[in-house]
Each structure stands twice: as structure tokens, then as C-alpha cells.
Amino acid sequence: MFSRLLTPRWVLLHLLVVALFVATIFLGLWQLSKAEAGGGAVNWSYALQWPLYGVMGLWFYGRMVRDELNRSPDEDQPGNAVVLYQRPRIDTTGDPELAAYNAYLAELNERALGQRSTDGR
């Protein structure tokens, strides 16, 4: 179950999240030192915002991990997508030239779909 989270892509993502979380903590501490040295309200707000960004990032990452663990392993297999096709309606009212063109396009579409189904795709 957890083996999905040990693929190279996920391991790199784990490392990136840890590095960014540590960076937000250090940036928050740096802004706090600036604020304590008389930096003003902007530095105080950034001193609070950087750790908040780090916590938000961890929360979103936790949701990504949860979604990956709850995902069906067969979801990535080809042929599982359901494709619904609705034939386009041909507007025969109004301009007869436009109706003829729309009928021509519908015929081309039907031929293309027929060729695709006989090719095995």
C-alpha cells in the first residue's frame, strides 16, 4: 500500500516538501529577528506568514498523499476511461448551404469514428 509512495517521483516530492517546510521555518525566524530589531509591522506579519505557508504546504501535501493511497491501483491502466459520444445534431433550419455543410461534417465524423473502431483503437 505504501509502496506507491516510494517511487522515485514520490521520494523526490517528499524531499522537496521537507526542504520547503524547513525553508519556511527559517524564513519565519529570520523575519522574526528583523521584527524584533525594530523592523515594523510588515516584518511581524511576515514572521507569522512564513510558518503558516509551511503548515499549509504540509496540509496540502498530506491531502495529496491521502488521495494517492485511496486511489485505485488500476486507475492508470489504459482502457478504463469511459468515453461517452453523442452524435451532433444537424441544424436543417435556415440556410440550406449551411445545412449541407453540417451534414458533410457529420458524415466525415462518422467515417473517422468507423475507421478508429476497425483499427482497434
Side-chain angles (χ1 to χ4, degrees), residues 47-63:
L48 296 174
Q49 285 176 0
W50 279 113
L52 180 65
Y53 294 151
V55 170
M56 284 173 34
L58 286 180
W59 182 75
F60 284 119
Y61 185 68
R63 291 191 51 119

Side-chain angles (χ1 to χ4, degrees), residues 18-74:
V18 168
L20 290 175
F21 180 73
V22 170
T24 59
I25 297 302
F26 279 124
L27 286 168
L29 291 173
W30 173 70
Q31 286 291 337
L32 182 63
S33 69
K34 293 288 185 184
E36 289 174 340
V42 172
N43 290 106
W44 283 107
S45 67
Y46 284 141
L48 296 174
Q49 285 176 0
W50 279 113
L52 180 65
Y53 294 151
V55 170
M56 284 173 34
L58 286 180
W59 182 75
F60 284 119
Y61 185 68
R63 291 191 51 119
M64 281 177 51
V65 168
R66 184 193 69 189
D67 289 346
E68 178 67 22
L69 292 176
N70 291 335
R71 182 178 63 85
S72 170
D74 297 330

